[in-house]
Amino acid sequence: MDELIKLLANGEEVTDVDEESFLLFAQDIASNNLGMLNPRASSVEISINDNEYIIYQSPSLLSSHRAGGTTGAVLWKITPLFAEWVTNPSNPLWTTAFLGQASTVVELGTGISALVALVLAPSVHHYIATDQEYVRKLFRTNLDANTSVSSSNSSNKSKGKSKGSKSSKSKPTSSPAKPVDNISFAALDWETDQATSLKECVDPDDVRAKDAEEEEDRGFDLLLSCDCIYNEALVAPFVRTCAEICQLRPAYVAGSEEQSSHRKPTVCIVAQQQRSPDVFETWLRETMREFRVWRLSDDVLGEGLRSGSGYLVHLLLAKHK
């Protein structure tokens, strides 16, 4: 698993909750207020990788008293930054070939924007966005509203590939034949639903070919979460859901030679805004029971997500049970 070793070299493993919290919250942190981009607007325009997206949102739903929360009704500031970062060709997920055209990706707490899905899906095999059911309608609206952007983006990447390139590194690229039709939405409540059946969202006729004797792979290559950690009461169900998804694949065991190359562990990337150190410590303590955790370095994260930006990005690998 040389690729995984190279990937992990882009971060520092976290071994102590209190030490990590002190390190991160003792520094000067940019103020992002609550973290919403423009909660009063019915739509916002976003530019990512020189492509323009229009995102429709629901200020009225945000201010309602819906049971189960309404935070997914608007776009949050971290999401465009994260979407641009995760699709950057220099991102180690691409340079170590953990992401590629054959990859399947799951996102937790996608919200109404569909922004990460729109930006990343043209470069992967299948993208499953999850959230509570109330998000579905606006999520689909935003997919439909930005189909031409995603298709153009995909086509430009395909045309931009060099015919003579022999690089072994994966880069975000895709065929223009699948702008958004490889995006699925699945209702998933962390407190009440089980995440083990998410792979059923992928059309069985469209699943990449497998050896006839190979056991069906029910897991995923990448699990994403963008700004889902703000409520201490939701930390435990959120971590449980992450663990359930990652445990669909074999865990990574350092130094093991038994891990087959086609069974890479699921890599989980959790991005969040720095708000309450107490909530962060609760999340990290709960997470470290199930995962090994790495904080990605500033060199990898770039200007928008680096230390002091008010945002944090951690990489998780499920522990061997």
Side-chain angles (χ1 to χ4, degrees):
M1 300 293 286
D2 291 342
E3 300 96 336
L4 185 55
I5 293 173
K6 292 177 182 177
L7 177 62
L8 298 180
N10 292 281
E12 180 177 347
E13 186 165 10
V14 178
T15 57
D16 185 274
V17 172
D18 295 329
E19 181 180 316
E20 177 75 352
S21 181
F22 177 79
L23 175 67
L24 296 175
F25 284 88
Q27 61 186 326
D28 291 333
I29 302 171
S31 174
N32 294 300
N33 300 315
L34 286 177
M36 301 175 201
L37 191 65
N38 189 349
R40 297 182 179 179
S42 59
S43 66
V44 291
E45 295 182 4
I46 299 293
S47 177
I48 298 177
N49 299 329
D50 298 322
N51 289 287
E52 302 295 326
Y53 299 85
I54 182 166
I55 302 300
Y56 295 97
Q57 44 184 30
S58 179
S60 60
L61 178 57
L62 177 69
S63 61
S64 71
H65 298 287
R66 177 190 171 275
T70 62
T71 54
V74 297
L75 182 64
W76 294 71
K77 292 179 181 178
I78 190 175
T79 305
L81 297 172
F82 183 80
E84 187 157 18
W85 174 77
V86 79
T87 52
N88 191 316
S90 65
N91 187 301
L93 292 167
W94 295 103
T95 60
T96 60
F98 260 83
L99 268 182
Q101 286 182 290
S103 299
T104 52
V105 180
V106 176
E107 181 184 1
L108 296 182
T110 186
I112 50 85
S113 75
L115 192 57
V116 181
L118 283 162
V119 175
L120 185 54
S123 302
V124 299
H125 174 71
H126 202 98
Y127 193 103
I128 302 174
T130 72
D131 208 315
Q132 296 182 68
E133 182 62 36
Y134 81 93
V135 162
R136 185 189 297 269
K137 184 177 179 180
L138 266 176
F139 179 90
R140 176 53 59 182
T141 296
N142 284 317
L143 283 188
D144 294 343
N146 293 282
T147 295
S148 60
V149 180
S150 187
S151 179
S152 173
N153 183 33
S154 178
S155 179
N156 290 337
K157 287 175 181 176
S158 181
K159 291 178 182 178
K161 291 180 66 179
S162 171
K163 294 182 180 179
S165 175
K166 296 183 179 180
S167 173
S168 62
K169 296 179 179 179
S170 297
K171 293 183 179 180
T173 183
S174 181
S175 163
K178 54 169 190 176
V180 294
D181 59 329
N182 65 334
I183 299 174
S184 301
F185 179 87
L188 183 67
D189 188 306
W190 309 329
E191 294 183 284
T192 60
D193 297 334
Q194 298 294 315
T196 52
S197 62
L198 283 176
K199 202 61 173 279
E200 295 175 3
C201 294
V202 181
D203 186 341
D205 294 331
D206 191 40
V207 175
R208 58 184 181 272
K210 300 181 179 70
D211 187 283
E213 298 180 357
E214 181 184 336
E215 182 182 353
E216 181 184 3
D217 176 17
R218 297 174 60 240
F220 302 89
D221 299 292
L222 182 65
L223 172 62
L224 301 177
S225 165
C226 190
D227 210 7
C228 292
I229 302 159
Y230 50 85
N231 184 336
E232 199 162 347
L234 291 177
V235 165
F238 170 77
V239 173
R240 176 188 59 77
T241 301
C242 290
E244 284 182 357
I245 293 173
C246 291
Q247 288 164 3
L248 295 171
R249 285 268 182 94
Y252 169 66
V253 181
S256 172
E257 297 181 357
E258 298 180 0
Q259 188 126 21
S260 57
S261 60
H262 58 277
R263 281 293 186 270
K264 294 178 181 177
T266 300
V267 170
C268 178
I269 302 291
V270 176
Q272 59 187 296
Q273 181 176 326
Q274 283 183 267
R275 295 185 180 92
S276 161
D278 291 337
V279 174
F280 173 78
E281 289 172 19
T282 300
W283 168 76
L284 185 57
R285 202 175 306 279
E286 191 77 22
T287 296
M288 289 179 66
R289 294 191 179 102
E290 301 287 345
F291 295 90
R292 293 176 65 185
V293 180
W294 284 260
R295 176 179 13 92
L296 295 179
S297 69
D298 285 351
D299 290 341
V300 168
L301 295 175
E303 193 66 32
L305 296 171
R306 67 187 307 153
S307 300
S309 66
Y311 305 114
L312 305 170
V313 183
H314 288 84
L315 182 154
L316 319 181
L317 288 176
K319 289 181 178 179
H320 180 69
K321 296 292 186 178

